[in-house]
């Protein structure tokens, strides 16, 4: 929110209504401490939408001024930028405003609206901000709606397997890939995106239905609750393969020089989904330190998957707890590799490929005439 926006509505109101965090300051000690400074914020976004954009903001952006959070974000952002102008009709028609708009368009900014009608000041004419529904429709119709109408179920993050009330076994998964896939599925027009998430430090985009779980067993139960309604299942979670055979009710005391923890296998959620009679299109992940192709193909066949996305882990090879990754994707009749890139971008490529293979698999068979 700019300072002018805060004259109309308080950050607290927007925060309460959106359930999201409202950012107002260019240099906020709190945000910087969370590594979410203005640069990180601009890099994090898939789309930057400025709505409403006043004549003043438009003038500032068109001249490259960066004296507050919003104008700085615009200068840093490399994602698509949309502007929904809102101002008095006379201000909109002023040559200087039109020149500023043209300049922004020449710099790749897409302008949505304004629309004609009665204005807050009583004037009638062009300058009303487009309705929010119309703004969203215009933005999302520009994305490739390859998952239009589909329900996508995704698992993300690590699981925690309790040893006693204070200790657990887990792994280094950050959940970034699963969350990026959920966002990409939403952008690709999915009707519903359900995310079953282990404990992570991420927030999902508005419109994604998130169910938080902790253990592999809880993740299994939640997936089974939603799987019948979904068209595509993507297992991006790093589910623990083993869990303690017993969870102690009280904190274990250090009474002995050594102790032994007996682990038992967790239920393989991905394999269970792939074995359902009316299974969805099923996508798995594989993280390998060696022999990536052989292990990935083995998992594809053994778990009867439609597609598997494999990546190298360990050393400097990407994978867990990083913002970038590279993937090698395999299916029954082919494969495709994606070079190292931000997970947000990678997720969009992967969703596109999944949609393509899903559509091939569900397309009615063509018989020779
Ligand atoms: N997976 C799952 N449920 C489990 C274990 C894994 O759904 N209990 C899913 C993961 O979400 C991922 C894929 O299975 O999509 C990973 O396959 P897996 O065989 O578990 O890989 P690794 O754990 O790396 O197995 P291994 O140690 O045998 O290589």
């Amino acid at each position: 929110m700019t300072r002018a926006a805060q004259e109309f509505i308080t950050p607290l109101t927007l925060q309460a209504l959106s359930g999201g965090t409202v950012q107002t300051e260019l240099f906020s000690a709190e945000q910087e401490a969370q590594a979410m400074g203005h640069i990180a914020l601009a890099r994090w976004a898939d789309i930057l939408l400025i709505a409403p954009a006043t004549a003043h903001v438009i003038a500032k952006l068109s001249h490259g001024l960066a004296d507050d959070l919003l104008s700085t974000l615009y200068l840093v952002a490399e994602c698509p930028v949309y502007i929904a102008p809102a101002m008095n009709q006379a201000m909109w028609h002023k040559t200087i405003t039109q020149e500023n708009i043209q300049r922004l368009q020449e710099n790749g900014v897409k302008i949505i609206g304004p629309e004609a009608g009665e204005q807050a000041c009583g004037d009638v004419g062009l300058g009303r901000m487009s309705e929010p529904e119309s703004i969203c429709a215009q933005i999302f119709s520009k994305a490739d709606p390859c998952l239009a109408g589909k329900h996508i179920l995704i698992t993300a993050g690590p699981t925690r397997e309790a040893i006693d009330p204070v200790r657990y076994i887990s792994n280094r998964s950050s959940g970034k890939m699963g969350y990026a896939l959920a966002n990409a599925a939403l952008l690709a027009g999915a009707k519903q995106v359900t995310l079953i998430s282990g404990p992570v430090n991420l927030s999902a985009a508005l419109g994604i239905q998130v169910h938080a779980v902790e253990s592999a067993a809880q993740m299994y139960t939640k997936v089974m609750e939603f799987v019948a309604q979904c068209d595509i299942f993507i297992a991006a979670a790093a589910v623990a393969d083993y869990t303690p055979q017993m969870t102690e009710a009280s904190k274990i005391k250090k009474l002995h020089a050594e102790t032994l923890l007996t682990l038992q296998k967790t239920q393989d959620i991905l394999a269970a989904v792939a074995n359902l009679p009316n299974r969805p299109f099923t996508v798995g992940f594989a993280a390998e330190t060696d022999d990536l192709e052989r292990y990935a193909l083995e998992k594809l066949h053994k778990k009867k998957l439609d597609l598997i996305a494999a990546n190298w882990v360990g050393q400097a090879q990407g994978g867990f707890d990083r913002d970038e990754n590279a993937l090698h994707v395999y299916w029954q009749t082919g494969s495709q590799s994606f070079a190292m890139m931000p997970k947000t971008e990678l997720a969009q490529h992967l969703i596109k490929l999944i949609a393509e293979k899903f559509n091939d698999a569900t397309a009615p068979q063509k018989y020779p005439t």
Side-chain angles (χ1 to χ4, degrees):
M1 294 180 80
T2 57
R3 196 170 310 160
Q6 293 172 64
E7 299 285 338
F8 285 90
I9 182 169
T10 69
L12 201 61
T13 311
L14 267 194
Q15 193 162 315
L17 289 175
S18 68
T21 317
V22 175
Q23 317 246 8
T24 54
E25 301 298 326
L26 179 53
F27 301 110
S28 146
E30 194 189 323
Q31 299 299 339
E32 298 290 339
Q34 293 168 9
M36 202 45 163
H38 55 283
I39 307 284
L41 196 57
R43 287 197 185 130
W44 160 86
D46 298 312
I47 287 171
L48 175 60
L49 165 67
I50 302 170
T54 60
H56 178 72
V57 161
I58 290 168
K60 251 170 53 170
L61 300 187
S62 75
H63 287 83
L65 297 178
D67 63 347
D68 63 0
L69 180 60
L70 177 61
S71 48
T72 310
L73 277 185
Y74 167 71
L75 267 194
V76 180
E78 284 174 345
C79 59
V81 179
Y82 295 83
I83 279 183
M87 66 193 75
N88 166 272
Q89 54 86 24
M91 291 167 91
W92 174 252
H93 285 115
K94 275 273 150 55
T95 310
I96 189 76
T97 304
Q98 289 306 311
E99 282 172 2
N100 289 337
I101 286 283
Q102 199 182 334
R103 227 170 132 135
L104 286 176
Q105 280 175 318
E106 284 163 8
N107 279 287
V109 175
K110 295 169 193 82
I111 313 292
I112 299 177
E115 283 162 27
E118 193 174 340
Q119 304 198 296
C121 54
D123 275 12
V124 176
L126 261 186
R128 277 172 66 103
M129 187 182 88
S130 298
E131 291 300 325
E133 291 79 8
S134 157
I135 295 174
C136 288
Q138 289 187 60
I139 291 175
F140 291 118
S141 69
K142 288 182 175 65
D144 180 4
C146 54
L147 288 181
K150 300 288 176 276
H151 180 178
I152 320 299
L153 179 62
I154 301 173
T155 63
T159 63
R160 283 181 185 168
E161 310 304 318
I163 298 171
D164 67 14
V166 294
R167 304 181 178 95
Y168 57 78
I169 302 174
S170 193
N171 59 64
R172 293 181 192 279
S173 165
S174 63
K176 283 175 185 158
M177 195 62 210
Y179 275 65
L181 284 166
N183 280 343
L186 199 67
L187 276 176
K191 179 178 70 183
Q192 194 178 331
V193 180
T194 307
L195 188 60
I196 315 293
S197 173
V200 294
N201 235 332
L202 302 168
S203 51
L206 214 66
I208 297 173
Q209 211 186 91
V210 186
H211 297 272
V213 295
E214 230 181 81
S215 64
Q218 288 170 358
M219 188 172 272
Y220 177 87
T221 307
K222 267 289 166 221
V223 166
M224 289 305 155
E225 192 181 320
F226 288 97
V227 74
Q229 311 149 25
C230 81
D231 301 289
I232 299 176
F233 173 64
I234 308 175
V239 187
D241 290 326
Y242 290 92
T243 189
Q245 205 168 53
M246 285 186 54
T247 302
E248 296 295 335
S250 311
K251 190 179 164 207
I252 301 170
K253 290 289 174 193
K254 47 178 182 303
L255 300 174
H256 311 289
E258 314 184 323
T259 184
L260 210 62
L261 197 59
T262 308
L263 303 176
Q264 64 185 23
K265 261 197 176 161
T266 57
Q267 208 157 358
D268 193 317
I269 305 168
L270 179 60
V273 169
N275 275 306
L276 288 172
N278 280 320
R279 65 180 235 169
F281 187 86
T282 306
V283 180
F285 270 78
E288 307 293 346
T289 50
D290 16 48
D291 244 341
L292 183 120
E293 179 167 347
R294 182 164 71 85
Y295 285 128
L297 286 174
E298 240 175 61
K299 281 176 192 169
L300 180 79
H301 296 130
K302 212 169 105 201
K303 295 200 192 186
K304 300 189 206 134
L305 308 179
D306 293 298
L307 198 129
I308 191 156
N311 64 276
W312 290 103
V313 283
Q315 294 117 36
Q317 289 163 320
F320 279 17
D321 205 9
R322 296 173 63 125
D323 290 328
E324 292 198 322
N325 206 359
L327 282 181
H328 304 274
V329 187
Y330 304 91
W331 56 97
Q332 291 293 343
T333 52
S335 67
Q336 189 170 340
S337 292
F338 297 109
M340 187 66 77
M341 64 180 97
K343 284 183 178 171
T344 47
E345 213 175 299
L346 192 60
Q348 288 175 20
H349 288 295
L350 186 56
I351 283 291
K352 208 166 166 205
L353 181 63
I354 291 172
E356 212 178 284
K357 298 296 159 206
F358 167 79
N359 287 327
D360 287 353
T362 51
Q365 292 288 327
K366 288 193 191 89
Y367 295 104
T369 48

